[in-house]
Amino acid sequence: MTTAPRRIEPRTLKGFRDYPPALAIAREELMERARAVYRSYGYVPIDTPALEYTEILLGKGGEEADKQLFRFEDAGGRDVALRFDLTVPFARFAAQHVGSLGTPFKRYHLAPVWRGENPQRGRFREFVQCDFDTIGTTSNAADVEVSLVIADLLPALGFERFTVRVNNRKLLNGLLDSLGLADRAGPVLRALDKLPKVGREAVVAEMGEVAGVERDRAERVLGLVSLEGTNAEVLDRIEAESGGADWAAAGLRDLRQLLAVADAVGVPEGRIRVDLSIARGLDYYTGTVYETFLDELPGIGSVCSGGRYDDLASLYTRQVLPGVGASLGLDRLLAAMEQLELLSGVSTAADVLVTQFDAAHLAAYAAAAARLRRAGIGAEVYPDPRKLGAQLGYADKRGFPLALIAGPDELERGVWQLADLRGEGRARHEVSDADLPTRARDLLARSTA
Amino acid sequence: MTTAPRRIEPRTLKGFRDYPPALAIAREELMERARAVYRSYGYVPIDTPALEYTEILLGKGGEEADKQLFRFEDAGGRDVALRFDLTVPFARFAAQHVGSLGTPFKRYHLAPVWRGENPQRGRFREFVQCDFDTIGTTSNAADVEVSLVIADLLPALGFERFTVRVNNRKLLNGLLDSLGLADRAGPVLRALDKLPKVGREAVVAEMGEVAGVERDRAERVLGLVSLEGTNAEVLDRIEAESGGADWAAAGLRDLRQLLAVADAVGVPEGRIRVDLSIARGLDYYTGTVYETFLDELPGIGSVCSGGRYDDLASLYTRQVLPGVGASLGLDRLLAAMEQLELLSGVSTAADVLVTQFDAAHLAAYAAAAARLRRAGIGAEVYPDPRKLGAQLGYADKRGFPLALIAGPDELERGVWQLADLRGEGRARHEVSDADLPTRARDLLARSTA
């Protein structure tokens, strides 16, 4: 009598997910495109360990982040945790390595992070982020560049309709200062950040309750923050409101330069918009701040956010490292695209399926595939000489555009049938061995009928 | 009186490392090239969570792997662990998804794994592996393909001098069977695996002690395993030794087909070698097995190993999933290249540094950079109008081949100085705005003087 083996239920942890091919192919493509944009601006990749000493991470992302840490004691008795973002590891990295790397230092970091938050639709406990920053300079040129990168990034990822909303914390801080509210900037800005969600009256109420700001001053803040119009109109109104006062000058100058340079390099009108309601809650930001919204996916919030900060790594080093950067929520974007069925669903990485008629001729099939590969065309050889219908069914399911077929007659004559699997016709073309790569390339260049 | 903030020592965990730009750039390039090879054969990417239920992982990689698990209880009281390889998560993934994905199924998985082993030179507790497998077929075509992939992969990663050593476990198992040692295959093969390290006599001794195999039969096993000569000579000798017996027929047929197809697709003579001493200790393998050695880096052992197995996911599903695949130790390869100073050391991802003379002209500098990018040439704008020498020093340190310079005179005349930073001469070329991309491309196409 034999006992059946105990089977283990194959399952992922709550809040985690597998990436099957159709999704993983789309993600790799997004990553490759994002990398290409970062690199084209001179940002270079770095990587850091998934695990850090807990003391490096704890207290850096607020109470919420602390609670969500995957934290444990390792076999060596160390208190360790999985990183919850890429900013804190970058601060630690910069403190350790900036001496040898020198400044300015521009890096991108494309890697998973882990947060034990309650899973929601489209949000998981493990997700890839994609940060880019320039540190070691206070120059507004770096701030300008962040907006140019975002303006290049989104089209590269397939989104043409989006808006980069920019503000400068110096304007908000200057305004609060001029209103005698400098000491209450934190709670006032946090209240302000809720404006799109809760509306004007609730923000005024919160400013009163939490920060003791009376209606009059709250309305002045909201008036400035709610300015509408073209970028030039908004900036001119602020200048007028400030009466040319110092509190507004630096912020206005930086934003004007950002808009002028964006215009000079050809960023389409309207892609970058001054929006004084963008406060970016974190006390951390001190200059330009960015949020990016997709017109097609308004529900997912900002997909690329960031800003300028005065000192990245003060917790780990005495060296002062000002910088500016932003973070692309790549997996969140992907999850949204998936929900909206914006992904192609293709689950092949090769363009040609080489069918097998007869295992004895594997060398001929493999040689044809190798010839296609050398010409830069991906080719997969079906492993078994099953019925042609089954092999073509496999090709259809995965989305191969072309199939290569050769039965005894073709093998003897040294020719191939190249079948176009797209559209209705499924046209077959007889091609010689020598012409195979050229003909395949020509067919692939054609769009579907 | 203010107290100095408590600083946290910036450090990574024992056995973990940061990837600074020069290393991260090299790693990204290796990854991109590996992906391109896998994709060209029709392998598609998948991803799985870094964390799994511990019961999924435990006992699958042997006692050693169990001891090295980063295992803990999560906030929800689940017993979880970081994956220690990509095979076990793939087995779990296949059990869960193969019904919807269908077979054959070819995947690659390029991702970090974690093992709490004692750190050694070039070995870390977190490292990237790169697995590729075809499951759902017993066809030898899939085995053949694995050897072709490895033969393409290594040159794509920059290694021209390497050997893929192949064997077929059916030959070893058949031989042991014919010698009446089938019931002792495990200990005999494990002893055999130590041959290169401990030598012939020690292997004979171990076979005697552990498996009760007397010298006579141990010598027959070793005689077959130590055969030298061309692939044809080795295979012919085995055939002769077996006297045409069944135990050798299937293994010989599969290996001969592998070699014939490799020859037909143009794999250079000698890159794939039959080596019967390759046993791949794991009981798991049942057919073709592979190990890959770099002639330049003999010390690091096999860089790409794998084999055929009868059933990938029997612990998680009743569906029988035979398959074949291999794993590239990408980070181990990178660490070895680093130690041997085979990496370029370049730490820029862009080719042109656009220097700034004057912050007021940022729009002109940014527009020139944008023009280069649109032509596919990476361009970084230095953020501050520091002295030219300092900006060019930055370019040199990072390895930029070209710098773009424009002072008041050039800005007025609408021209640029394009400086070649390679070699001794540091030649400067005056180019017009319109010619900039073409001239930069021409210069980049030239190798250093």
Side-chain angles (χ1 to χ4, degrees):
Chain A
M1 200 182 107
T2 59
T3 50
R6 182 182 88 87
R7 289 232 160 68
I8 299 162
E9 189 198 343
R11 56 185 177 144
T12 51
L13 287 161
K14 182 184 169 194
F16 288 79
R17 76 186 304 195
D18 288 324
Y19 282 78
L23 203 52
I25 288 172
R27 180 160 78 161
E28 273 195 0
E29 195 164 313
L30 291 182
M31 287 179 173
E32 274 166 37
R33 291 175 178 200
R35 272 190 209 105
V37 171
Y38 298 143
R39 285 169 163 248
S40 77
Y41 281 86
Y43 295 89
V44 289
I46 68 160
D47 202 8
T48 64
L51 284 172
E52 298 269 1
Y53 280 103
T54 298
E55 65 167 4
I56 299 283
L57 305 179
L58 212 59
K60 311 306 180 301
E63 236 175 87
E64 198 61 12
D66 285 356
K67 261 193 283 177
Q68 296 174 349
L69 273 187
F70 284 96
R71 175 182 180 181
F72 60 101
E73 193 174 285
D74 78 2
R78 297 171 201 89
D79 186 357
V80 304
L82 288 165
R83 64 178 168 226
F84 66 91
D85 77 358
L86 301 176
T87 302
V88 178
F90 180 45
R92 196 265 308 144
F93 175 98
Q96 242 173 299
H97 302 290
V98 78
S100 59
L101 295 170
T103 58
F105 179 62
K106 298 169 74 168
R107 80 86 175 79
Y108 67 88
H109 192 183
L110 209 160
V113 302
W114 292 268
R115 292 183 194 173
E117 58 191 332
N118 268 334
Q120 304 167 35
R121 204 172 138 82
R123 295 177 82 127
F124 295 90
R125 291 183 168 178
E126 175 181 63
F127 54 96
V128 165
Q129 281 196 327
C130 206
D131 283 21
F132 63 103
D133 288 82
T134 301
I135 59 168
T137 177
T138 56
S139 167
N140 190 50
D143 303 53
V144 173
E145 185 173 74
V146 168
S147 69
L148 302 184
V149 171
I150 302 175
D152 268 2
L153 192 56
L154 274 296
L157 302 180
F159 296 93
E160 291 293 338
R161 294 179 57 223
F162 64 92
T163 310
V164 187
R165 298 194 170 266
V166 296
N167 187 11
N168 193 307
R169 284 286 287 263
K170 288 179 204 160
L171 286 179
L172 283 174
N173 293 342
L175 173 71
L176 297 181
D177 205 15
S178 74
L179 295 173
L181 295 173
D183 57 331
R184 280 165 276 181
V188 168
L189 293 179
R190 275 190 291 277
L192 208 54
D193 242 7
K194 297 176 191 158
L195 182 60
K197 274 192 195 153
V198 301
R200 220 176 149 95
E201 268 312 304
V203 171
V204 172
E206 179 173 330
M207 285 188 190
E209 282 157 31
V210 181
V213 180
E214 62 282 17
R215 173 166 294 270
D216 181 42
R217 287 194 288 179
E219 292 281 5
R220 272 210 61 194
V221 174
L222 276 165
L224 209 67
V225 153
S226 313
L227 284 176
E228 290 189 0
T230 66
N231 290 329
E233 283 165 4
V234 169
L235 294 173
D236 289 348
R237 275 285 300 281
I238 297 164
E239 187 152 23
E241 293 263 340
S242 74
D246 275 355
W247 66 258
L252 285 171
R253 189 189 59 224
D254 288 352
L255 282 177
R256 284 196 167 117
Q257 187 181 35
L258 187 153
L259 295 168
V261 175
D263 191 50
V265 306
V267 175
E269 177 83 38
R271 278 231 168 127
I272 302 181
R273 290 193 62 89
V274 174
D275 180 346
L276 262 66
S277 74
I278 302 296
R280 306 278 315 132
L282 298 172
D283 297 338
Y284 185 71
Y285 293 111
T286 54
T288 321
V289 285
Y290 315 83
E291 294 198 343
T292 311
F293 299 91
L294 300 176
D295 301 352
E296 289 108 321
L297 302 172
I300 63 172
S302 174
V303 295
C304 193
S305 311
R308 172 166 281 284
Y309 40 86
D310 278 342
D311 196 0
L312 176 70
S314 58
L315 287 159
Y316 315 106
T317 178
R318 280 199 294 183
Q319 185 168 352
V320 178
L321 292 171
V324 58
S327 178
L328 175 75
L330 194 131
D331 264 347
R332 199 154 296 165
L333 194 60
L334 184 68
M337 291 167 74
E338 189 188 8
Q339 280 171 32
L340 293 168
E341 300 181 356
L342 294 177
L343 305 176
S344 75
V346 168
S347 62
T348 172
D351 280 328
V352 182
L353 182 74
V354 180
T355 61
Q356 267 202 78
F357 175 77
D358 174 359
H361 286 96
L362 179 60
Y365 299 115
R371 197 170 310 119
L372 287 167
R373 272 178 221 123
R374 271 180 221 123
I377 301 166
E380 171 174 344
V381 179
Y382 194 86
D384 299 274
R386 291 178 67 198
K387 280 188 183 157
L388 184 60
Q391 297 185 57
L392 294 179
Y394 170 90
D396 281 336
K397 177 165 180 175
R398 279 163 172 72
F400 281 88
L402 302 179
L404 197 65
I405 303 162
D409 170 57
E410 285 87 1
L411 286 166
E412 196 178 318
R413 293 195 292 127
V415 296
W416 300 93
Q417 298 287 338
L418 192 53
D420 193 333
L421 306 180
R422 301 163 297 183
E424 289 300 306
R426 315 204 123 220
R428 291 202 190 176
H429 311 267
E430 186 170 299
V431 301
S432 71
D433 233 34
D435 288 346
L436 182 53
T438 317
R439 293 294 296 277
R441 196 180 297 114
D442 289 350
L443 281 172
L444 289 170
R446 275 188 225 167
S447 59
T448 50
Chain B
M1 200 181 106
T2 60
T3 50
R6 184 181 87 86
R7 288 232 160 68
I8 299 162
E9 188 197 345
R11 56 186 178 143
T12 52
L13 287 160
K14 182 183 170 196
F16 287 79
R17 75 185 306 195
D18 287 324
Y19 282 79
L23 203 54
I25 288 172
R27 179 158 78 160
E28 272 196 358
E29 195 164 313
L30 291 182
M31 286 179 173
E32 273 166 37
R33 290 175 178 200
R35 272 190 210 107
V37 171
Y38 298 143
R39 285 168 164 248
S40 76
Y41 281 86
Y43 295 87
V44 288
I46 67 159
D47 201 9
T48 65
L51 285 172
E52 297 269 1
Y53 279 104
T54 297
E55 66 166 5
I56 300 283
L57 306 178
L58 211 60
K60 313 305 181 303
E63 236 175 86
E64 199 62 12
D66 285 356
K67 262 192 282 179
Q68 296 173 350
L69 274 187
F70 284 95
R71 175 184 179 179
F72 60 100
E73 193 174 284
D74 78 1
R78 297 170 201 91
D79 185 358
V80 304
L82 288 165
R83 65 181 167 224
F84 65 91
D85 76 359
L86 301 176
T87 303
V88 178
F90 180 44
R92 195 266 308 145
F93 175 98
Q96 241 174 298
H97 302 290
V98 79
S100 60
L101 295 170
T103 58
F105 178 62
K106 298 168 75 169
R107 80 87 175 80
Y108 67 90
H109 192 184
L110 210 160
V113 303
W114 293 267
R115 292 183 195 172
E117 58 190 331
N118 268 333
Q120 304 166 36
R121 204 172 137 81
R123 293 177 83 127
F124 295 90
R125 290 183 168 178
E126 174 181 63
F127 53 97
V128 164
Q129 281 197 325
C130 205
D131 283 22
F132 62 102
D133 287 84
T134 302
I135 60 169
T137 177
T138 57
S139 169
N140 190 50
D143 302 52
V144 173
E145 185 173 73
V146 168
S147 67
L148 303 184
V149 171
I150 301 175
D152 268 1
L153 192 57
L154 274 297
L157 302 181
F159 297 94
E160 290 294 337
R161 295 180 55 224
F162 63 93
T163 312
V164 187
R165 298 193 170 268
V166 296
N167 187 12
N168 193 305
R169 285 285 288 262
K170 287 178 203 160
L171 286 178
L172 283 173
N173 294 341
L175 173 70
L176 297 181
D177 205 15
S178 75
L179 294 173
L181 295 173
D183 57 332
R184 280 164 276 179
V188 169
L189 293 180
R190 275 190 292 276
L192 209 52
D193 243 6
K194 297 177 190 159
L195 184 59
K197 275 193 195 155
V198 301
R200 221 176 148 94
E201 269 312 303
V203 171
V204 172
E206 179 172 331
M207 284 187 189
E209 281 157 30
V210 182
V213 180
E214 62 282 19
R215 174 165 291 272
D216 182 44
R217 285 193 289 179
E219 291 283 4
R220 275 209 60 194
V221 174
L222 276 164
L224 210 67
V225 154
S226 312
L227 284 176
E228 290 189 358
T230 64
N231 289 330
E233 283 165 5
V234 170
L235 293 173
D236 288 349
R237 276 284 300 280
I238 298 165
E239 186 150 26
E241 292 262 339
S242 75
D246 277 354
W247 66 257
L252 286 170
R253 190 190 58 226
D254 287 352
L255 282 177
R256 285 196 166 117
Q257 187 181 36
L258 186 153
L259 295 167
V261 174
D263 191 50
V265 306
V267 175
E269 179 83 38
R271 279 232 168 125
I272 302 181
R273 290 194 61 89
V274 173
D275 180 346
L276 263 66
S277 73
I278 301 296
R280 307 277 314 132
L282 299 172
D283 298 337
Y284 184 73
Y285 292 113
T286 55
T288 320
V289 285
Y290 316 81
E291 293 197 345
T292 311
F293 299 91
L294 300 178
D295 301 353
E296 290 108 317
L297 302 173
I300 62 171
S302 174
V303 295
C304 193
S305 311
R308 172 165 282 285
Y309 40 86
D310 278 343
D311 195 359
L312 176 71
S314 58
L315 289 159
Y316 316 105
T317 176
R318 280 199 294 182
Q319 185 168 351
V320 178
L321 291 172
V324 59
S327 177
L328 174 75
L330 194 131
D331 264 346
R332 198 155 296 165
L333 194 60
L334 184 68
M337 292 167 73
E338 188 188 8
Q339 280 171 32
L340 293 168
E341 300 180 357
L342 294 176
L343 304 177
S344 73
V346 167
S347 62
T348 172
D351 281 327
V352 182
L353 182 74
V354 180
T355 61
Q356 268 202 78
F357 175 78
D358 174 0
H361 287 95
L362 179 62
Y365 298 115
R371 199 171 308 120
L372 287 166
R373 273 179 220 122
R374 272 180 220 122
I377 300 166
E380 172 174 342
V381 179
Y382 194 87
D384 298 275
R386 291 179 65 198
K387 281 189 182 153
L388 185 60
Q391 298 185 55
L392 294 180
Y394 171 90
D396 281 335
K397 177 164 182 176
R398 278 162 174 72
F400 280 88
L402 302 179
L404 198 63
I405 303 163
D409 170 57
E410 286 86 1
L411 287 167
E412 196 177 318
R413 292 195 293 127
V415 297
W416 299 93
Q417 297 288 339
L418 192 53
D420 193 334
L421 306 181
R422 301 163 298 182
E424 290 299 307
R426 316 203 121 216
R428 290 201 191 178
H429 310 268
E430 185 169 299
V431 302
S432 70
D433 232 34
D435 286 346
L436 181 54
T438 317
R439 293 293 298 278
R441 195 182 295 113
D442 288 350
L443 281 172
L444 289 170
R446 275 189 225 167
S447 59
T448 50

